[in-house]
Amino acid sequence: MFIISLICLIFTLNSSNNTIINAILYAVLIISIECSIILIINPKLSASLFIHDKPVKFTITTFIVIIVAISTIALFKINTNIPILALSILGIILSIIAFIRKNKLSEEINKKGLLMDNKEEITDHNSRIIYLIIILGILGIVARILPPYHQSFGWMVPGAFFICLIPGYLIINTIYPKKDDLAPLGRMGIAVGLSLFISAIIGLFFNPVNGVMLDWIMIIMIIISLIIVLPIFIKKTRYVNSKFFNKKLEYLLIIGVILTIILMAISGTLINNNSLTTNGNTTFQISGVNGTPGEDNYYNLTAGEKQNLKISTTNLENKVTNYTIKVVSRNETNSSEISEYHFELKNNETKEIEENLTMTSGKKDVQFILYKDGNETAYKIKHLYANVNE
């Protein structure tokens, strides 16, 4: 799975947005991530054994995923470079975690031999809970921060878990780790109440500055849970026998992880190619003019004077965009092209061009014309009105 994700990452960084290739990469990554999550949750399984035992199910699942991916990309004309890049990185991370998890299990079996069924079930369950919490936390941060997913609602699933349950669950099970210490219903009730209390405190603390924002409360709760509470929980409960575990919580976390990935894959991709692209823009600025314009917006300049200008272009179109800039001098009788530039910018990338103009006498309008993606109609125009005297 690591090699598959790495190959997909390389293809994405060097691809030319080929629809068929991107659809295949998209489908392969979804299946690879699914297999990695299965191995993380239960390292005793293997992908080859699953394929061998369930060839029909695996073939049908693969076929459906590929068909859905190709149909979605073709129907919405989706540019999947950003989602595939994000999924590739996620696949690499999950495959590394699955590899470490499987090696750790092998070492434990080699050192201790086979464990009793009941004890092994409890140990595996608690380990799965921990890994599911880590995965859900990573997905929550990615869904809130990484474009284009930060514009979707994919973060709400991990947000609900971390705001309402997970921190309190870890704290209460650190204090009362044994299953006989508290009744299951009372334990979960305290976990929910404690999590909501911590969330409320964080909300009140940040309210005077930015107002109550659930997404940022979620991020803070994830950081607290993964960096502070979870390590303490692991340390305090490592050698405790008859630990409490809730099988239903494990199922809920699995559903949460799968649902988050689906929401990120669907809503994030659609937003990237509809809302973001539609509302995108390009920042186009001219700076470095020596002098102050008069009431008629004309600069009074001297013939032979050099103007060292800077043309700055920033791509905020949420996609790779090709630009053309033409610098044209116009007066009452004619016009002449001074220079022309062609370049390509990735999203959020900036291009700065030095333009050195030597002014000639006369009243003129120096125009900086920006064209986008080969369109012959000007996208933006900036003017330098100049009254040049001898």
Side-chain angles (χ1 to χ4, degrees):
M1 266 92 59
F2 175 83
I3 295 175
I4 291 174
S5 300
L6 186 61
I7 292 173
C8 292
L9 178 63
I10 294 172
F11 265 101
T12 304
L13 294 175
N14 295 278
S15 70
S16 58
N17 196 28
N18 184 287
T19 301
I20 302 299
I21 293 177
N22 281 0
I24 295 174
L25 293 177
Y26 193 83
V28 169
L29 279 170
I30 293 295
I31 296 172
S32 177
I33 289 173
E34 181 184 359
C35 292
S36 295
I37 292 174
I38 290 173
L39 292 178
I40 290 172
I41 295 172
N42 192 345
K44 293 182 292 184
L45 294 177
S46 65
S48 58
L49 183 62
F50 174 74
I51 296 172
H52 182 267
D53 290 346
K54 310 287 185 180
V56 177
K57 288 186 178 180
F58 183 82
T59 303
I60 292 175
T61 303
T62 304
F63 179 76
I64 291 174
V65 171
I66 293 176
I67 291 299
V68 170
I70 294 176
S71 301
T72 305
I73 292 171
L75 179 62
F76 295 99
K77 298 181 179 179
I78 288 174
N79 177 4
T80 55
N81 281 339
I82 293 178
I84 289 177
L85 179 63
L87 289 174
S88 300
I89 296 173
L90 179 63
I92 290 173
I93 294 173
L94 292 178
S95 62
I96 292 174
I97 295 175
F99 177 77
I100 295 173
R101 176 95 167 102
K102 200 169 186 65
N103 279 354
K104 185 177 179 181
L105 180 65
S106 299
E107 291 176 2
E108 290 178 356
I109 291 176
N110 291 333
K111 288 181 181 180
K112 300 180 181 180
L114 296 176
L115 301 175
M116 295 176 60
D117 293 340
N118 193 31
K119 185 177 180 181
E120 183 178 351
E121 180 184 354
I122 296 174
T123 303
D124 285 346
H125 170 79
N126 283 281
S127 298
R128 291 197 294 268
I129 287 286
I130 292 171
Y131 282 106
L132 284 168
I133 290 174
I134 293 173
I135 293 171
L136 196 62
I138 294 173
L139 287 175
I141 294 176
V142 169
R144 180 58 189 87
I145 295 178
L146 183 67
Y149 307 115
H150 69 301
Q151 296 291 334
S152 70
F153 297 100
W155 63 270
M156 288 188 173
V157 176
F161 278 97
F162 279 93
I163 290 175
C164 300
L165 178 62
I166 290 176
Y169 176 85
L170 293 175
I171 291 173
I172 196 64
N173 283 289
T174 301
I175 300 173
Y176 301 105
K178 293 185 178 182
K179 61 183 180 181
D180 296 330
D181 290 339
L182 286 174
L185 185 60
R187 189 185 296 264
M188 297 305 292
I190 295 174
V192 172
L194 190 57
S195 297
L196 292 174
F197 175 76
I198 297 172
S199 301
I201 294 297
I202 293 173
L204 290 173
F205 180 77
F206 284 97
N207 182 50
V209 181
N210 297 319
V212 179
M213 301 173 66
L214 288 178
D215 50 351
W216 289 107
I217 292 177
M218 175 203 71
I219 291 178
I220 295 172
M221 294 290 277
I222 290 174
I223 293 173
I224 291 174
S225 299
L226 298 187
I227 296 180
I228 300 176
V229 182
L230 186 60
I232 296 175
F233 169 77
I234 295 173
K235 183 178 180 180
K236 294 293 184 180
T237 62
R238 180 178 299 175
Y239 303 108
V240 175
N241 294 323
S242 301
K243 288 186 256 186
F244 170 79
F245 65 92
N246 189 333
K247 201 71 176 176
K248 293 180 179 179
L249 177 62
E250 180 184 352
Y251 293 145
L252 285 175
L253 289 172
I254 293 173
I255 294 172
V257 169
I258 295 174
L259 187 58
T260 303
I261 293 176
I262 292 173
L263 288 175
M264 289 174 63
I266 296 176
S267 61
T269 302
L270 293 178
I271 286 176
N272 178 60
N273 293 275
N274 292 307
S275 300
L276 292 181
T277 302
T278 302
N279 298 325
N281 197 5
T282 297
T283 302
F284 186 53
Q285 297 177 334
I286 311 298
S287 60
V289 182
N290 294 325
T292 304
E295 294 181 358
D296 57 355
N297 291 325
Y298 274 80
Y299 287 84
N300 291 315
L301 304 175
T302 304
E305 181 181 353
K306 290 186 177 180
Q307 294 287 333
N308 299 318
L309 307 179
K310 181 182 290 184
I311 307 172
S312 178
T313 309
T314 302
N315 178 12
L316 300 175
E317 305 286 345
N318 301 293
K319 64 177 182 178
V320 177
T321 306
N322 293 301
Y323 294 100
T324 298
I325 295 177
K326 292 183 180 181
V327 182
V328 180
S329 177
R330 302 181 188 274
N331 56 31
E332 295 178 353
T333 57
N334 56 36
S335 64
S336 61
E337 184 174 309
I338 300 174
S339 54
E340 183 174 332
Y341 304 96
H342 301 272
F343 54 92
E344 179 184 273
L345 291 180
K346 297 178 181 179
N347 188 45
N348 291 324
E349 187 177 4
T350 300
K351 174 78 171 180
E352 292 185 346
I353 300 173
E354 299 287 341
E355 180 69 26
N356 299 316
L357 296 179
T358 301
M359 308 306 294
T360 58
S361 60
K363 196 172 186 179
K364 59 189 66 183
D365 173 16
V366 181
Q367 298 182 356
F368 302 84
I369 308 172
L370 179 67
Y371 299 89
K372 185 179 74 170
D373 288 334
N375 196 327
E376 296 182 357
T377 303
Y379 182 49
K380 289 189 176 183
I381 302 177
K382 296 291 183 180
H383 299 269
L384 171 57
Y385 299 107
N387 189 9
V388 186
N389 301 311
E390 291 289 348

